[in-house]
Amino acid sequence: MESKKTSLIYGLTMCFVMVFMMNLLETFINMGEISFNAFLLSFRTVPFVFLAAYLIQNFAVGKLKDKCINFFLSEKESECEFMLFNAIFIVTAMSLIMTVAGAMIAGEYIGDVLSDYFLIWPRNFCAAFFINIIFAGPISRFAVVRVNNRINE
């Protein structure tokens, strides 16, 4: 039970941090400015992007990741290797999908997104990987520790 709760907290936190920061970055880039108005526009779309990302992660990417982990890694691999594989796989798959899905949710013309896909996706991948490693992962692990500490009190 605690494992499922821990997994849920980690997944929700990771998804929220990634969606919030990537959505903010994309809005700043598309508006061509870092401003309060851009922040507000980004903030309004976060719930919709979060819902899409969470569903895609849990019902498609996560299941594929589990199969790939069993194929590429053995039980003798270290926890660090599993974490790195997980981060690379999830960031790659989610950035491939969310480059299009996020743009559609934001109301961008799909033809423009697809025509610029191979310019936009590498930027999104690099940003998402950086955000995952530097911000979302540590924040998510911190959230899990805090919740577990409260449960054990």
Side-chain angles (χ1 to χ4, degrees), residues 39-52:
F39 178 81
L40 287 178
L41 177 63
S42 174
F43 196 71
R44 283 192 293 243
T45 60
V46 164
F48 305 106
V49 179
F50 173 79
L51 181 61

Side-chain angles (χ1 to χ4, degrees), residues 6 33 46 49 53 91 98 112 125 128 139 145 151:
T6 297
E33 64 182 5
V46 164
V49 179
V91 167
M98 290 304 293
D112 292 341
F125 171 81
I139 290 170
V145 168
I151 290 171

Side-chain angles (χ1 to χ4, degrees), residues 14-152:
M14 176 68 78
C15 189
F16 179 79
V17 172
M18 291 296 298
V19 164
F20 179 76
M21 294 184 82
M22 287 299 296
N23 197 39
L24 193 59
L25 176 67
E26 286 296 316
T27 303
F28 288 163
I29 289 170
N30 289 336
M31 289 186 73
E33 64 182 5
I34 297 174
S35 67
F36 186 69
N37 287 338
F39 178 81
L40 287 178
L41 177 63
S42 174
F43 196 71
R44 283 192 293 243
T45 60
V46 164
F48 305 106
V49 179
F50 173 79
L51 181 61
Y54 192 75
L55 293 173
I56 291 167
Q57 157 58 33
N58 284 303
F59 295 109
V61 173
K63 293 184 185 317
L64 183 59
K65 177 208 61 156
D66 292 340
K67 290 179 183 178
C68 287
I69 278 181
N70 292 333
F71 182 77
F72 289 109
L73 300 176
S74 69
E75 290 181 22
K76 66 181 178 183
E77 310 296 344
S78 71
E79 185 178 336
C80 198
E81 289 168 313
F82 277 95
M83 286 175 48
L84 185 59
F85 180 88
N86 186 55
I88 291 170
F89 187 89
I90 295 293
V91 167
T92 301
M94 290 299 289
S95 65
L96 284 166
I97 296 166
M98 290 304 293
T99 294
V100 175
M104 290 172 50
I105 292 168
E108 293 181 36
Y109 177 63
I110 191 68
D112 292 341
V113 174
L114 293 176
S115 68
D116 292 337
Y117 186 82
F118 292 104
L119 297 173
I120 298 169
W121 174 75
R123 179 194 68 210
N124 287 349
F125 171 81
C126 292
F129 190 73
F130 175 77
I131 290 168
N132 184 295
I133 297 297
I134 303 298
F135 298 106
I139 290 170
S140 300
R141 287 188 291 277
F142 176 77
V144 166
V145 168
R146 290 287 300 196
V147 169
N148 284 339
N149 286 344
R150 289 197 179 216
I151 290 171
N152 294 330

